[in-house]
Amino acid sequence: MKLCLVALIVLASFNNLLSQTKPDKKMDTFISTLMKKMTLQEKIGQLNLVSVGFDVTGPVVSKNVDENIRKGNVGAVFNTFTPVAVRKLQEMAVTQTRLKIPLLFGYDVIHGHRTIFPIPLGLSSSWDLVSIGKSARIAAEEAAADGLNWVYSPMVDIARDPRWGRISESSGEDTWLGSQIAKAMVKGYQGSGLGQKNTVMACVKHFALYGAAEAGRDYNTVDMSRRRMFEEYMPPYKAALDAGAGSVMTSFNEIDGIPATGNKWLMTDLLRKQWGFNGFVVTDYTAINEMVAHGVAKDLHEAGALALQAGVDMDMVGEVYLSQLEKLVKDGKVTVALINAACRRILEAKYKLGLFTDPYLYVSESLAPQVMMKKEFRDAARDIARRSMVLLKNHKQTLPLKRTGSIALIGPLANNQRDLIGNWSGAGDWKKAISVEQGIKDLIGNALVVNYAKGANITDDTLLIKRLNAHGGELAIDSRSPDEMIREAVQVARRSDVIVAVVGESQGMSGEAASRADIGLPGRQLDLLKALRETGKPLVLVLMNGRPLTLKWENEKADAILETWYAGTEAGNAIADVLFGIYNPSGKLSVTFPQSVGQIPIYYNYKKTGRPFLGGVLDKYRSRYLDVTNEPLYPFGYGLSYSTFSYGDVKISGNSMKPGGSIDVSVSISNVSTFDGEEVVQLYIQDKVGSVTRPVKELRNFKKVFLKAGETQNITFTISEDDLKFYDAAMKYWAEPGDFNVDIGSNSRDVKTAMFTLTK
Ligand code: NOJ
């Protein structure tokens, strides 16, 4: 079944890629004929994207929308969905404008549309490309049935700073894993090709380097060497485009001193000329306008010229193109040819989506109720939610829990629904989400007594609550004092066999414009845990959060810790499945957890220093801290299982590889426990000596394998010369001859090693 799905997706995406790249004479003729009829203002209108309706996802809102649509001043709309709402605006465009050009309908479909899947950081922790692709496929089915044809996903920004709230929307810190996920998502959204009733066009974002904002503060400056850019940050964007993504969104940050939205090197030289991208580029929300605040344009007139000249086709909400381009042409500052090129690319997207044949292709009032949140989709959401959870600690097999006796279910997130669907889940209905309390009761029934106490507010900071609630939060402060709540929780714990404390952040504490400088558990939750620990009862933590947290005390003192991120509509069911052993956890971290904020940035594939710390307690002139060790709390790739897996030595088919050749490496893995389980077997390569410094290791492959209790399997990977390539001092991408270590293991730290040589 899985294999079939993979084969289908591969075949579909191949066709999709072909249809994206091969010249289409019919389309060219159609668009040329249409463009001959268009006035300059109508062409400019196609470059204008307005926000209408349900959500406000930026600092300003579009005005006079109906009037602008009728005048032909709008090419695309976002934040409007449902067949009824979309039909109304589409009708306006195709019946009341001079040329009857249909609109694109976009939306932030990020981790599901109506059926909400785990946040992207959670999805990536599944290391399960088939399930990740499936989540995007289901999101596309629902989005397309809701009138949408364009989604602002995948976000493929490499993210290594847990202070940055948008790390929750990312696939974590690794380039290789991120690239595989980028491909799987695009293929999922675009399915068997654009122009089908159940597929949508993907938009890869945020091009580029948005995840590297200094100090983890959203919208902040990025400054990066070309080497790091091309080795670590660019590959996921490229992978998404190679998978056929039809559009790209600019990022808010600058690159080499020039904001991405006005950066010609980025948008034209690299994206179009070097990478051959032939889709269209949309700005992020008011990003053209923001070039004035960046200080690279003195007014909107200059900003508009910069963006168009850079190769940016569509203006999201800012209406700079709409207000400035005609005048810019008159002043001789931009050419009509540039406007034509941008307009053509947008019309091409509409053509590929089938909108010229049927503007209502995605609008079916009868289809929507059949598709939305159907059982099959909710089942899939439950399954991938379980797969995305990471077991961080399990002292003396505290988990899985017994299905009899009593548990104290404590914590502000224990019977919460709003937070479970995470941020960027605008079309999701949190009231349909399954809470942990509900999930446990539904799974176990009366055999288990569940004693509930809230124990703490997520935060007691009233100003923060006000800010979070102003943007979709549902936080409230309990009428009882924090101490009273803790006392009640302790009493509940005393009369129960085991404590399950469901703690973490509120969903609005991560996502856009939600950076945190202190990434511990907010509010009095740590005090609550300390009081619960005092009872001496087994303490299980279920974490919900959109970023790595600092969990030093928690890691030392809790008996078991399950990281569940925000697991989506089916969160409570999935968490119950894992807690009670219906599903054996198999997730692995796609991002490093630091011990303390001061260690950030911390990631597994760091460069070697000239003075590495070698462990000597009194060593001074070494790369180390005085107050904390260099190690993370949990390394990249880390995650436990109820099974115990034992790795044999790494065997290698030969100790040398010829240029252009390959070698096989294999390892035997045994499940030496009584639980059937899945393991993500990870392969890392280290280039021992290079003409430029090389990371200590880089992920180059993995396999997620299922092993029955007692079973042993031999896992083989093939390493080819491509896996050894990097950019040399002259930025030539090739594999230098020399010695390499190959590490195989259950995470980036715990590995077994073999060595080989790439010969000249
Ligand atoms: C701003 C965000 O950066 C981007 O990710 C999103 O797609 C747009 N707003 C539209 O909501």
Side-chain angles (χ1 to χ4, degrees):
M1 175 64 190
K2 264 192 187 175
L3 269 182
C4 274
L5 188 69
V6 175
L8 268 179
I9 291 180
V10 169
L11 190 67
S13 62
F14 182 64
N15 288 338
N16 186 36
L17 191 57
L18 281 184
S19 70
Q20 291 268 318
T21 49
K22 72 175 181 220
D24 183 337
K25 277 212 171 128
K26 227 173 115 195
M27 175 176 80
D28 291 349
T29 313
F30 176 88
I31 289 172
S32 299
T33 312
L34 175 61
M35 284 184 64
K36 277 193 197 123
K37 296 185 211 154
M38 294 173 81
T39 63
L40 182 62
Q41 192 59 33
E42 280 166 339
K43 288 174 186 167
I44 293 168
Q46 288 302 307
L47 318 189
N48 190 33
L49 166 61
V50 298
S51 165
V52 190
F54 301 105
D55 287 323
V56 177
T57 55
V60 296
V61 286
S62 305
K63 297 208 180 85
N64 305 330
V65 172
D66 289 10
E67 187 191 331
N68 271 330
I69 293 180
R70 289 196 187 98
K71 281 189 184 156
N73 278 343
V74 176
V77 167
F78 77 114
N79 286 337
T80 292
F81 53 91
T82 72
V84 174
V86 169
R87 184 180 290 281
K88 188 172 151 243
L89 297 184
Q90 193 68 301
E91 241 166 35
M92 226 179 254
V94 298
T95 62
Q96 298 179 36
T97 63
R98 198 178 72 91
L99 291 171
K100 309 188 180 344
I101 300 172
L103 298 164
L104 291 174
F105 285 88
Y107 193 54
D108 286 291
V109 174
I110 308 296
H111 50 111
H113 180 58
R114 300 282 184 176
T115 308
I116 302 297
F117 293 90
I119 56 167
L121 192 60
L123 285 174
S124 66
S125 307
S126 71
W127 296 56
D128 183 336
L129 299 174
V130 173
S131 296
I132 292 172
K134 198 170 168 187
S135 76
R137 182 85 290 283
I138 292 172
E141 295 241 5
E142 290 187 340
D146 228 356
L148 299 165
N149 42 47
W150 183 29
V151 295
Y152 301 153
S153 175
M155 177 179 123
V156 303
D157 307 316
I158 292 298
R160 292 173 167 177
D161 193 326
R163 293 170 298 185
W164 190 49
R166 302 199 80 171
I167 199 167
S168 63
E169 295 171 58
S170 81
S171 292
E173 73 188 37
D174 186 60
T175 310
W176 195 85
L177 178 62
S179 300
Q180 308 309 311
I181 293 173
K183 282 191 248 175
M185 296 288 289
V186 170
K187 289 171 184 175
Y189 289 132
Q190 300 195 166
S192 54
L194 301 181
Q196 314 291 314
K197 232 179 166 39
N198 65 350
T199 65
V200 289
M201 180 171 61
C203 185
V204 182
K205 67 190 192 184
H206 304 83
F207 194 59
L209 320 183
Y210 183 38
E214 280 182 2
R217 204 179 71 230
D218 210 0
Y219 316 128
N220 202 9
T221 303
V222 169
D223 193 3
M224 190 182 290
S225 70
R226 286 286 152 114
R227 173 172 315 288
R228 170 162 276 178
M229 202 183 286
F230 282 101
E231 275 176 8
E232 299 165 30
Y233 280 73
M234 288 299 186
Y237 304 107
K238 176 76 166 49
L241 297 175
D242 289 346
S247 63
V248 167
M249 189 185 293
T250 70
S251 58
F252 287 124
N253 55 280
E254 66 173 66
I255 288 157
D256 242 345
I258 301 176
T261 307
N263 196 316
K264 189 165 183 208
W265 168 78
L266 185 71
M267 297 299 168
T268 298
D269 298 348
L270 179 67
L271 181 65
R272 296 199 189 282
K273 295 194 183 148
Q274 208 174 310
W275 290 358
F277 174 62
N278 64 5
F280 75 92
V281 176
V282 61
T283 70
D284 202 342
Y285 212 104
T286 57
I288 303 181
N289 315 54
E290 289 165 25
M291 286 199 281
V292 176
H294 270 288
V296 290
K298 79 169 186 301
D299 53 23
L300 295 182
H301 198 60
E302 276 190 15
L306 269 181
L308 192 76
Q309 280 157 358
V312 169
D313 304 310
M314 190 182 266
D315 174 0
M316 185 192 286
V317 182
E319 301 202 342
V320 178
Y321 280 177
L322 197 64
S323 63
Q324 305 298 322
L325 282 187
E326 210 161 1
K327 184 157 189 308
L328 280 165
V329 170
K330 272 192 205 129
D331 295 351
K333 293 197 179 134
V334 303
T335 61
V336 173
L338 279 180
I339 297 176
N340 282 342
C343 176
R344 176 175 285 274
R345 288 193 279 253
I346 289 157
L347 294 175
E348 281 177 0
K350 295 184 176 184
Y351 184 95
K352 289 175 193 164
L353 284 163
L355 293 170
F356 286 111
T357 316
D358 178 5
Y360 304 106
L361 183 65
Y362 305 89
V363 185
S364 159
E365 284 79 359
S366 60
L367 182 66
Q370 293 167 37
V371 172
M372 303 307 178
M373 300 194 81
K374 64 181 177 187
K375 178 162 185 317
E376 181 195 331
F377 293 173
R378 288 195 75 139
D379 288 349
R382 180 174 185 158
D383 188 48
I384 183 138
R386 318 190 293 194
R387 290 170 180 277
S388 69
M389 291 171 192
V390 186
L391 183 63
L392 297 174
K393 182 175 179 186
N394 196 16
H395 181 59
K396 290 193 179 157
Q397 299 198 320
T398 307
L399 292 177
L401 297 173
K402 283 201 210 74
R403 298 180 206 180
T404 51
S406 60
I407 64 168
L409 186 63
I410 311 279
L413 290 151
N415 71 1
N416 172 304
Q417 288 175 286
R418 168 61 192 102
D419 291 297
L420 300 184
I421 63 171
N423 55 70
W424 288 118
S425 50
D429 180 355
W430 60 263
K431 293 187 181 126
K432 293 191 175 140
I434 309 292
S435 72
V436 178
E437 187 175 22
Q438 187 67 46
I440 292 177
K441 286 183 173 161
D442 288 351
L443 184 73
I444 310 294
N446 294 335
L448 181 79
V449 176
V450 178
N451 301 315
Y452 166 78
K454 186 171 174 190
N457 297 307
I458 294 178
T459 171
D460 302 294
D461 177 341
T462 45
L463 179 59
L464 179 59
I465 292 177
K466 225 177 179 178
R467 276 156 61 192
L468 295 173
N469 286 351
H471 298 279
E474 292 281 332
L475 280 104
I477 289 204
D478 205 277
S479 56
R480 292 163 299 171
S481 73
D483 290 339
E484 258 177 278
M485 290 167 81
I486 292 177
R487 272 199 300 275
E488 183 204 43
V490 167
Q491 276 162 17
V492 165
R494 286 216 172 97
R495 61 184 153 87
S496 310
D497 301 333
V498 50
I499 305 166
V500 175
V502 191
V503 291
E505 300 175 301
S506 171
Q507 54 79 30
M509 292 179 175
S510 60
E512 189 176 352
S515 296
R516 290 181 70 204
D518 175 355
I519 56 170
L521 281 176
R524 297 285 303 275
Q525 294 181 89
L526 186 55
D527 291 340
L528 167 68
L529 297 182
K530 287 180 177 168
L532 292 172
R533 177 71 295 175
E534 293 293 300
T535 64
K537 298 285 168 93
L539 177 61
V540 176
L541 303 192
V542 172
L543 297 174
M544 293 185 187
N545 41 287
R547 55 161 59 78
L549 298 176
T550 47
L551 299 164
K552 228 174 152 204
W553 182 93
E554 294 84 336
N555 183 54
E556 270 164 31
K557 304 290 183 190
D559 294 290
I561 307 180
L562 181 68
E563 175 59 76
T564 70
W565 315 109
Y566 300 113
T569 310
E570 289 289 325
N573 286 333
I575 290 168
D577 286 346
V578 174
L579 289 179
F580 292 93
I582 308 289
Y583 182 79
N584 182 355
S586 64
K588 301 275 186 174
L589 296 178
S590 61
V591 64
T592 304
F593 275 44
Q595 297 183 63
S596 75
V597 174
Q599 291 179 305
I600 299 169
I602 182 167
Y603 46 90
Y604 82 95
N605 51 346
Y606 58 87
K607 292 286 192 83
K608 290 175 255 184
T609 113
R611 293 186 176 187
F613 177 60
L614 302 173
V617 183
L618 299 181
D619 282 0
K620 179 167 172 62
Y621 298 104
R622 293 280 168 192
S623 183
R624 64 180 300 192
Y625 301 98
L626 289 176
D627 50 354
V628 63
T629 63
N630 288 356
E631 277 63 51
L633 185 65
Y634 306 117
F636 173 82
Y638 173 83
L640 305 171
S641 160
Y642 299 151
S643 310
T644 308
F645 298 106
S646 149
Y647 281 70
D649 288 335
V650 179
K651 298 208 177 87
I652 197 151
S653 60
N655 41 26
S656 69
M657 188 203 285
K658 292 200 184 87
S662 67
I663 52 164
D664 284 349
V665 284
S666 59
V667 70
S668 83
I669 298 170
S670 306
N671 180 348
V672 294
S673 72
T674 53
F675 291 94
D676 298 348
E678 282 168 292
E679 167 71 331
V680 180
V681 185
Q682 302 161 37
L683 179 142
Y684 298 85
I685 292 179
Q686 182 201 0
D687 188 347
K688 294 176 82 165
V689 178
S691 60
V692 294
T693 57
R694 304 286 297 123
V696 287
K697 62 179 68 174
E698 293 167 292
L699 181 74
R700 279 293 174 263
N701 212 337
F702 69 87
K703 283 188 182 162
K704 190 160 186 173
V705 292
F706 176 80
L707 288 122
K708 286 193 112 17
E711 185 183 346
T712 297
Q713 276 185 33
N714 218 38
I715 308 298
T716 302
F717 297 97
T718 300
I719 300 174
S720 75
E721 193 187 354
D722 275 350
D723 296 318
L724 313 179
K725 289 182 177 168
F726 64 95
Y727 291 91
D728 71 7
M731 292 303 281
K732 185 177 140 209
Y733 188 68
W734 69 299
E736 289 181 355
D739 294 342
F740 294 83
N741 278 340
V742 48
D743 291 351
I744 300 186
S746 66
N747 61 62
S748 59
R749 181 191 60 204
D750 303 316
V751 291
K752 300 224 167 159
T753 305
M755 201 209 88
F756 68 92
T757 306
L758 176 69
T759 59
K760 287 197 175 130

